[in-house]
């Protein structure tokens, strides 16, 4: 804002009075826009009044100009007009709206993608957790806790069956007394936590153990012999053979083992590898040995029934415990053997090396083959492979020698460097290597 300042009265001479009266000195300060009027001190009141009114008009004009600059333009066209605004078309407005919608949809898609990725990571973690828990449950010690030994009540009538129940209770294994499809049989069931309506279920194992005394087994042998004489007709079979054949016809995957108990421990082994009483069957049945072997071959080859003769219930208990432990290890073995060749892996591993198609790695295989012999160190194997880089060269060296003693001592003089010391392979290892690569007897003991 402009500020009015009183002009200082200057004392001038009379010669300058006329000039001062007629030409007042007007000065404008460029910084403060102040107009200074120099008049004579003898000027009248009207002159003084004019001097005072001039700054007021100046201040009013400046304030008016500032107000007009801040105020919007008037409709009459007075004042400073604002810059002309360009009016947008409907197409431009619709394009902006479409762009806004697309940006919104893009944000929603990104948000949905992030949510989907988060859900996939959560599901992947859940699958890994379930796989780890499943693998942990397949361990034999954990799988054994889910097995249940099911014993038929008819077995409890036999003397000595309490040994089996006491042993199962001592091991803290689960067992149940319930009727089975086959009388006098023992089966196994496995709990499956992830099946069933309530999250749990059970499956029956394929193994079935049928415990018979010698009298019941003789009745079965007679029934089988009659059936074979009638050209395989199963009419009129015995009390134990009939339900056994029905069970095998209903489920061919069942693996049945007959455990025959007898108080007479005098056994022998037949040509089929089956333990038989020496004179019991022939004396009690009045059958020839050829006929008995014919019955056993039919049970083993045609019906896949294994036959084992045991002394008493203690051996029956040991057999049942062995089958239970084998069943507990079965799921983990099936999991590890699921690969096409589980014993052949890619890359280097602890017990072997990989031979490529170009032949690289064969020297390491040759060295590993020699190390399979007892008390043959890697240093000894490296010495042999350095002297004879392939098995064929070693065999040719053996063939070039005339005597057996020279062949056995071919490698005895080779020096082995190990730990900064040198020693010879020696005649013992040399002879074992020779027997390993030239012996024709597969049952020969190398040491």
């Amino acid at each position: 804002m402009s500020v009015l300042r009183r002009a200082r009265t200057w004392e001038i001479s009379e010669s300058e009075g006329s000039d001062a009266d007629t030409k007042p000195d007007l000065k404008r300060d460029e910084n403060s826009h102040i107009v200074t009027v120099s008049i004579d001190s003898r000027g009248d009141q009207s002159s003084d009044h004019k001097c005072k009114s001039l700054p007021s008009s100046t201040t009013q004009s400046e304030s008016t100009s500032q107000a007009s600059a801040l105020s919007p333009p008037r409709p009459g066209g007075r004042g400073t007009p604002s810059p002309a605004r360009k009016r947008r078309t409907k197409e431009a407005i619709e394009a902006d709206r479409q762009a806004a919608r697309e940006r919104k949809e893009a944000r929603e898609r990104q948000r949905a993608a992030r949510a989907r990725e988060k859900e996939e990571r959560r599901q992947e973690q859940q699958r890994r957790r379930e796989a780890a828990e499943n693998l942990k449950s397949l361990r034999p010690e954990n799988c054994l806790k889910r097995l249940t030994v099911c014993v038929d009540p008819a077995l409890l009538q036999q003397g000595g069956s309490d040994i089996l129940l006491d042993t199962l209770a001592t091991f803290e294994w689960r067992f149940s007394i319930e009727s089975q499809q086959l009388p006098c049989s023992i089966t196994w069931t496995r709990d499956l936590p992830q099946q069933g309506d309530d999250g749990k279920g059970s499956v029956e194992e394929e193994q079935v153990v049928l415990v018979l005394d010698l009298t019941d087994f003789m009745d079965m042998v007679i029934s089988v012999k009659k059936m074979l004489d009638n050209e395989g007709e199963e009419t009129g079979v015995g009390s134990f053979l009939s339900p056994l054949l029905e069970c095998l016809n209903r489920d061919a995957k069942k693996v049945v083992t007959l455990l025959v108990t007898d108080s007479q421990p005098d056994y022998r082994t037949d040509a089929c590898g089956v333990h038989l009483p020496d004179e019991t069957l022939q004396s009690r049945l009045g059958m020839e040995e050829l006929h008995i072997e014919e019955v056993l071959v039919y049970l083993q080859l045609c019906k896949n029934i294994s036959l084992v003769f045991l002394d008493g219930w203690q051996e029956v208990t040991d057999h049942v415990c062995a089958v239970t432990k084998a069943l507990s290890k079965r799921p983990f073995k099936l999991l590890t053997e699921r690969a096409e060749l589980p014993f052949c892996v890619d890359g280097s591993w602890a017990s072997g090396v990989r031979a490529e198609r170009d032949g690289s790695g064969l020297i390491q295989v040759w060295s590993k083959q020699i190390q399979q012999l007892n008390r043959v160190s890697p240093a000894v194997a490296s010495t042999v492979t350095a002297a004879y880089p392939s098995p064929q060269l070693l065999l040719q060296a053996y063939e070039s020698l005339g005597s057996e003693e020279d062949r056995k001592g071919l490698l005895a003089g080779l020096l082995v460097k190990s730990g900064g010391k040198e020693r010879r392979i020696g005649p013992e290892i040399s002879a074992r290597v020779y027997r390993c690569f030239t012996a024709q007897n597969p049952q020969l003991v190398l040491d």
Side-chain angles (χ1 to χ4, degrees), residues 9-293:
T9 303
W10 296 333
E11 294 181 1
I12 58 179
S13 62
E14 293 181 358
S15 62
E16 296 176 352
S18 61
D19 295 334
D21 293 338
T22 59
K23 297 180 181 179
D25 187 8
L26 300 178
K27 295 182 180 180
R28 181 182 298 272
D29 191 352
E30 293 180 358
N31 296 329
S32 60
H33 302 284
I34 298 174
V35 179
T36 305
V37 181
S38 300
I39 58 177
D40 190 10
S41 58
R42 294 177 294 180
D44 54 358
Q45 293 180 358
S46 61
S47 299
D48 192 16
H49 177 72
K50 291 179 181 179
C51 181
K52 291 180 181 180
S53 62
L54 182 61
S56 299
S57 61
T58 305
T59 304
Q60 184 178 359
S61 62
E62 291 181 356
S63 62
T64 303
S65 63
Q66 292 180 358
S68 63
L70 296 176
S71 61
R74 295 178 181 180
R78 294 176 295 177
T80 304
S82 61
R85 296 182 60 184
K86 199 173 189 179
R87 186 163 184 164
R88 296 190 303 168
T89 62
K90 292 183 179 181
E91 291 78 3
I93 296 175
E94 186 63 26
D96 293 342
R97 291 177 180 176
Q98 182 65 22
R101 284 195 296 267
E102 292 179 355
R103 288 193 298 269
K104 184 178 179 181
E105 292 176 357
R107 289 193 299 268
E108 292 178 355
R109 286 195 299 268
Q110 292 178 359
R111 191 180 302 108
R114 288 193 295 268
R116 186 168 54 254
E117 292 177 358
K118 184 177 180 181
E119 181 66 19
E120 290 178 356
R121 288 194 299 267
R122 188 191 65 80
Q123 293 179 359
E124 181 66 21
Q125 293 176 358
Q126 182 68 19
R127 285 194 295 268
R128 291 181 179 178
R129 191 180 301 108
E130 292 177 356
E133 293 177 357
N134 187 24
L135 182 62
K136 184 178 180 181
S137 64
L138 292 180
R139 294 178 180 177
E141 60 273 12
N142 296 327
C143 190
L144 188 60
K145 299 177 182 178
R146 301 200 307 270
L147 282 175
T148 302
V149 183
C150 304
V151 183
D152 189 78
L155 292 176
L156 302 181
Q157 300 177 3
Q158 301 183 14
S161 59
D162 55 341
I163 299 177
L164 175 62
L165 302 181
D166 294 341
T167 303
L168 296 178
T170 302
F171 289 156
E172 297 182 354
W173 292 351
R174 295 192 304 178
F175 65 92
S176 63
I177 309 298
E178 54 186 16
S179 299
Q180 305 296 319
Q181 296 179 358
L182 293 177
C184 300
S185 65
I186 300 174
T187 59
W188 288 263
T189 59
R190 185 193 309 274
D191 292 341
L192 300 177
Q194 297 181 354
Q195 295 191 10
D197 296 336
D198 56 349
K200 291 187 177 180
S202 61
V203 61
E204 186 175 354
E205 296 290 343
E206 301 173 355
Q207 298 291 332
V208 178
V209 172
L210 185 59
V211 183
L212 301 177
D213 57 11
L214 191 57
T215 304
D216 297 333
F217 177 70
M218 288 189 296
D219 295 338
M220 180 180 292
V221 171
I222 295 175
S223 301
V224 172
K225 180 58 179 174
K226 291 180 180 180
M227 184 179 63
L228 294 177
D229 294 340
N230 294 332
E231 297 181 355
E233 187 178 356
E234 298 181 0
T235 58
V237 295
S239 58
F240 284 97
L241 184 61
S242 178
L244 178 58
L245 296 179
E246 291 179 359
C247 179
L248 294 177
N249 292 333
R250 185 170 53 253
D251 189 359
K253 294 182 179 180
K254 290 292 184 180
V255 181
V256 181
T257 302
L258 291 180
L259 301 182
V260 182
T261 61
D262 188 20
S263 58
Q264 299 180 6
D266 189 11
Y267 299 151
R268 67 177 178 85
T269 304
D270 70 338
C272 298
V274 180
H275 298 283
L276 298 174
D278 193 7
E279 298 179 355
T280 303
L281 291 179
Q282 296 184 28
S283 61
R284 295 188 183 184
L285 299 178
M287 299 174 61
E288 297 181 359
E289 183 177 358
L290 181 60
H291 294 165
I292 297 175
E293 291 181 354

Side-chain angles (χ1 to χ4, degrees), residues 292-304:
I292 297 175
E293 291 181 354
E294 182 182 357
V295 171
L296 298 179
V297 168
Y298 171 79
L299 292 176
Q300 290 183 348
L301 299 183
C302 297
K303 298 300 180 181
N304 196 23

